[in-house]
Amino acid sequence: MVAFDSSTLILLAKTEMLDLVIADFHDRVIIPEKVEVEVSVEGREETPAILSLMGEGKIKVLKARGRELIEKLGNDFNIGAGEAEALALALQEKAHMVATDDRNAIRACKALKIDFVTAVAFVLRAFEKQLIDMDEAISKIKKLQSIGRYSKAIIEDAIEQIRKGGA
């Protein structure tokens, strides 16, 4: 089971990877209510894809319990409400990992010893499993570079890993 925050859901939807990632987790994808609100903004290009998967029950919306814990996570790690609820939900539901591309949420995962995964890692995983080919993987990494907040080193390393894997 994986708990998503809104950043990774949005990035995967914008790179047309969300369906593939969700299918890979066999309906074990959860989001907290706050993330549902954050990704349900009318007029944004990624909203229909995310809402469709929620409507099909492939992304399950659950209530993150423990207001004090959520507030403490938000304050201690300087993360937004969606990220704090995703972390709390992961702890509550004993999720295997949190999908986040938020720098401070990643730091929180490390401090709390929760495994995490980013949109870049999902693209690399899809390529390794031969779900997408080299050209498509590189194209998706470049799209993530243009819409996400990744360092040049992360993008270059991902492209290098793809090129080595395709040799």
Short mmCIF file of all heavy atoms in Angstrom, two decimals, residues 7 10 33 56 65 72 85 92 106 127 137 146 156:
data_model
loop_
_atom_site.label_atom_id
_atom_site.label_comp_id
_atom_site.label_asym_id
_atom_site.label_seq_id
_atom_site.Cartn_x
_atom_site.Cartn_y
_atom_site.Cartn_z
N SER A 7 1.45 16.36 -4.67
CA SER A 7 2.50 16.69 -5.65
C SER A 7 2.79 15.53 -6.59
O SER A 7 2.86 15.71 -7.81
CB SER A 7 3.79 17.14 -4.94
OG SER A 7 4.35 16.09 -4.17
N ILE A 10 -0.17 14.72 -8.99
CA ILE A 10 -0.25 15.73 -10.06
C ILE A 10 0.85 15.52 -11.09
O ILE A 10 0.60 15.52 -12.30
CB ILE A 10 -0.23 17.14 -9.46
CG1 ILE A 10 -1.52 17.41 -8.69
CG2 ILE A 10 0.01 18.20 -10.54
CD1 ILE A 10 -1.50 18.64 -7.80
N GLU A 33 -8.03 12.92 2.92
CA GLU A 33 -9.07 13.85 2.44
C GLU A 33 -8.49 15.18 1.96
O GLU A 33 -8.95 15.75 0.99
CB GLU A 33 -10.10 14.08 3.55
CG GLU A 33 -10.91 12.83 3.85
CD GLU A 33 -11.78 12.96 5.08
OE1 GLU A 33 -11.45 13.76 5.99
OE2 GLU A 33 -12.80 12.23 5.14
N GLU A 56 -13.31 5.29 -9.82
CA GLU A 56 -13.23 3.85 -10.07
C GLU A 56 -12.78 3.07 -8.84
O GLU A 56 -12.70 1.84 -8.88
CB GLU A 56 -12.25 3.58 -11.21
CG GLU A 56 -12.69 4.13 -12.56
CD GLU A 56 -11.58 4.07 -13.60
OE1 GLU A 56 -10.61 3.30 -13.42
OE2 GLU A 56 -11.68 4.80 -14.59
N ARG A 65 -6.57 10.25 10.82
CA ARG A 65 -6.98 10.54 12.19
C ARG A 65 -5.81 11.13 12.97
O ARG A 65 -4.66 10.98 12.60
CB ARG A 65 -7.48 9.27 12.87
CG ARG A 65 -8.73 8.69 12.19
CD ARG A 65 -9.27 7.48 12.92
NE ARG A 65 -8.34 6.38 13.03
CZ ARG A 65 -8.21 5.41 12.14
NH1 ARG A 65 -8.95 5.41 11.04
NH2 ARG A 65 -7.35 4.43 12.32
N LYS A 72 1.43 18.43 14.38
CA LYS A 72 2.82 18.30 14.81
C LYS A 72 3.72 17.99 13.61
O LYS A 72 4.80 18.58 13.47
CB LYS A 72 2.96 17.20 15.87
CG LYS A 72 4.38 17.03 16.40
CD LYS A 72 4.41 16.18 17.63
CE LYS A 72 5.79 15.92 18.18
NZ LYS A 72 6.74 16.99 18.12
N GLU A 85 -1.04 15.11 6.31
CA GLU A 85 -2.09 14.08 6.36
C GLU A 85 -1.63 12.81 5.66
O GLU A 85 -1.95 11.71 6.12
CB GLU A 85 -3.39 14.60 5.73
CG GLU A 85 -4.19 15.48 6.65
CD GLU A 85 -5.62 15.68 6.18
OE1 GLU A 85 -6.12 14.90 5.33
OE2 GLU A 85 -6.28 16.61 6.70
N GLN A 92 -0.91 5.53 10.09
CA GLN A 92 -2.17 4.97 10.55
C GLN A 92 -2.51 3.65 9.84
O GLN A 92 -2.92 2.68 10.48
CB GLN A 92 -3.26 6.01 10.28
CG GLN A 92 -4.68 5.58 10.40
CD GLN A 92 -5.62 6.71 9.90
OE1 GLN A 92 -5.43 7.86 10.24
NE2 GLN A 92 -6.60 6.34 9.10
N ILE A 106 9.93 14.54 2.18
CA ILE A 106 10.95 13.50 2.04
C ILE A 106 11.83 13.46 3.29
O ILE A 106 12.13 12.40 3.83
CB ILE A 106 11.79 13.71 0.76
CG1 ILE A 106 10.93 13.41 -0.47
CG2 ILE A 106 13.06 12.86 0.78
CD1 ILE A 106 11.56 13.81 -1.80
N PHE A 127 10.30 1.89 -16.45
CA PHE A 127 11.27 1.55 -17.49
C PHE A 127 11.95 0.21 -17.17
O PHE A 127 12.06 -0.66 -18.03
CB PHE A 127 12.31 2.66 -17.64
CG PHE A 127 13.42 2.29 -18.59
CD1 PHE A 127 13.18 2.16 -19.95
CD2 PHE A 127 14.70 2.07 -18.13
CE1 PHE A 127 14.20 1.80 -20.83
CE2 PHE A 127 15.73 1.71 -18.99
CZ PHE A 127 15.47 1.58 -20.35
N ALA A 137 10.62 6.88 -21.56
CA ALA A 137 11.11 7.14 -20.20
C ALA A 137 11.87 8.47 -20.16
O ALA A 137 11.65 9.29 -19.27
CB ALA A 137 11.98 5.99 -19.72
N SER A 146 10.55 19.83 -16.54
CA SER A 146 9.93 21.10 -16.91
C SER A 146 8.77 21.50 -15.98
O SER A 146 8.48 22.67 -15.85
CB SER A 146 9.44 21.05 -18.36
OG SER A 146 8.31 20.23 -18.50
N GLU A 156 19.66 14.47 -14.57
CA GLU A 156 20.78 13.88 -15.33
C GLU A 156 21.04 12.44 -14.89
O GLU A 156 21.29 11.56 -15.72
CB GLU A 156 22.04 14.72 -15.16
CG GLU A 156 21.97 16.04 -15.92
CD GLU A 156 23.16 16.96 -15.66
OE1 GLU A 156 24.01 16.64 -14.79
OE2 GLU A 156 23.22 18.01 -16.32
#
